[in-house]
Amino acid sequence: MTREQILRDYLNYYQDLGVKTVYRRKPTVKTEAAAKLLQEPVAEKPEVGSAIVAPVIKETVQIKVTPAAVSTSVILPSLAPENETLAQISSDIGDCKRCRLCEGRNKIVFGSGNESAGLVFVGEGPGADEDAQGLPFIGRAGQMLTQMIENTAEKEGIPIKRPDVYICNVVKCRPPENRAPQPDEMEICGQFLFRQLMVLKPKAICAMGATAAKAILATKEGVTRLRGNWHKWHDIPVMVTYHPSYLLRPYNQNAKREAWEDLKRVLHFVYD
Ligand code: URA
């Protein structure tokens, strides 16, 4: 395979995952394929245009690849094999320094729960408690989520508890002051979420809040408009609902009722 084909495979794969931009950064860890790619001789007649861009400038993946542009400073994200595992993704994340969120984090919050779960909940990003312990949704919003899952399941006669589902976030490091993740942070970290979801292949995904909805459905539509209806991510049904933190605010009683309705639908869909 020529290095152009290898590079094209990477780009197609990430485009399928919804990743629209790739970045060039300093080499740290060379993947086997990337190392091979770098060793191959440059094609005689390179095409015009490039997917590989300078660190601060980004371009879309729908481009022509210039073999000549593949310099020794290009490190590609590892191409997920068919039988990839969550452990492999976590090890790929490693001691991640891919974006500025690494600067203030204590622990990377990968995700937790049943890896064979039929249902995956996706939140925004770790808060202070999660950052301290390395586990998702263990603070106040987490207690709210646990209550929502377990109370609704019990009321509906569905025998599941929180450990039966899988829970993760769009970004794996805590954004400073709990601000919303920025688009480049979502995009960089989003590749890991996409790989997690591909490995988990749940029966349904519940996207909690605007950040999760935006990352999974690539939409600018707000939660209020998206919630209550089924959407799709790679053929997997997606229900959007309010983020548990939003439901903790006392004046959001109506949203709370709607979130319970959304959850009821998801639980029946997955477990009936
Ligand atoms: N909020 C999130 O979005 N995720 C967490 O893990 C905790 C709070």
Side-chain angles (χ1 to χ4, degrees):
M1 210 193 270
T2 66
R3 64 193 229 170
E4 186 182 355
Q5 282 165 334
I6 295 171
L7 187 50
R8 220 175 261 293
D9 278 354
Y10 271 96
L11 297 174
N12 287 340
Y13 171 74
Y14 276 94
Q15 194 168 33
D16 281 350
L17 295 187
V19 176
K20 297 201 178 52
T21 54
V22 291
Y23 298 83
R24 185 167 73 176
R25 58 188 172 80
K26 281 195 174 154
T28 45
V29 182
K30 289 177 186 162
T31 64
E32 211 177 288
K36 192 168 155 228
L37 190 113
L38 297 174
Q39 281 158 15
E40 283 187 28
V42 175
E44 276 178 9
K45 284 187 186 166
E47 289 178 39
V48 183
S50 175
I52 312 300
V53 292
V56 285
I57 305 162
K58 53 181 195 170
E59 294 173 3
T60 70
V61 169
Q62 279 164 338
I63 33 68
K64 290 182 179 175
V65 175
T66 311
V70 182
S71 75
T72 49
S73 67
V74 177
I75 293 299
L76 297 167
S78 56
L79 187 58
E82 275 278 288
N83 50 358
E84 159 157 272
T85 62
L86 291 178
Q88 278 160 358
I89 301 169
S90 174
S91 136
D92 264 5
I93 294 178
D95 183 24
C96 188
K97 302 268 191 293
R98 293 170 180 84
C99 83
R100 65 187 81 78
L101 292 184
C102 70
E103 289 159 19
R105 73 145 189 262
N106 285 301
K107 289 200 171 155
I108 291 175
V109 180
F110 182 72
S112 73
N114 180 353
E115 298 186 3
S116 320
L119 178 56
V120 174
F121 287 86
V122 181
E124 179 174 289
D129 296 308
E130 291 79 14
D131 174 63
Q133 293 196 44
L135 291 167
F137 283 96
I138 52 161
R140 280 188 70 221
Q143 283 162 23
M144 179 66 155
L145 178 60
T146 308
Q147 259 185 39
M148 284 173 66
I149 296 170
E150 300 198 349
N151 294 353
T152 313
E154 193 182 350
K155 254 196 207 144
E156 298 298 308
I158 298 165
I160 64 139
K161 297 279 182 203
R162 172 175 162 148
D164 296 316
V165 303
Y166 191 86
I167 301 174
C168 59
N169 286 302
V170 175
V171 295
K172 315 299 186 204
C173 296
R174 183 191 182 198
E177 316 295 330
N178 295 337
R179 66 157 168 77
Q182 291 174 2
D184 61 330
E185 297 158 356
M186 284 170 63
E187 211 167 282
I188 293 166
C189 215
Q191 63 177 281
F192 298 110
L193 171 65
F194 283 110
R195 284 169 63 185
Q196 276 175 301
L197 293 175
M198 283 206 129
V199 169
L200 290 161
K201 285 197 191 69
K203 213 172 154 195
I205 298 168
C206 184
M208 302 180 292
T211 299
K214 204 186 285 175
I216 294 169
L217 300 175
T219 176
K220 287 190 174 143
E221 207 71 81
V223 174
T224 320
R225 293 185 76 117
L226 293 169
R227 65 148 295 275
N229 294 307
W230 288 108
H231 305 270
K232 279 243 160 118
W233 179 84
H234 289 256
D235 284 339
I236 300 176
V238 177
M239 177 63 73
V240 175
T241 195
Y242 298 104
H243 191 283
S245 304
Y246 180 73
L247 302 175
L248 282 168
R249 301 177 199 165
Y251 43 88
N252 288 339
Q253 288 313 303
N254 209 30
K256 219 166 168 174
R257 194 181 38 74
E258 288 175 334
W260 250 274
E261 288 302 316
D262 298 337
L263 196 52
K264 231 162 54 179
R265 276 187 78 183
V266 176
L267 290 177
H268 280 297
F269 175 78
V270 175
Y271 296 102
D272 276 357

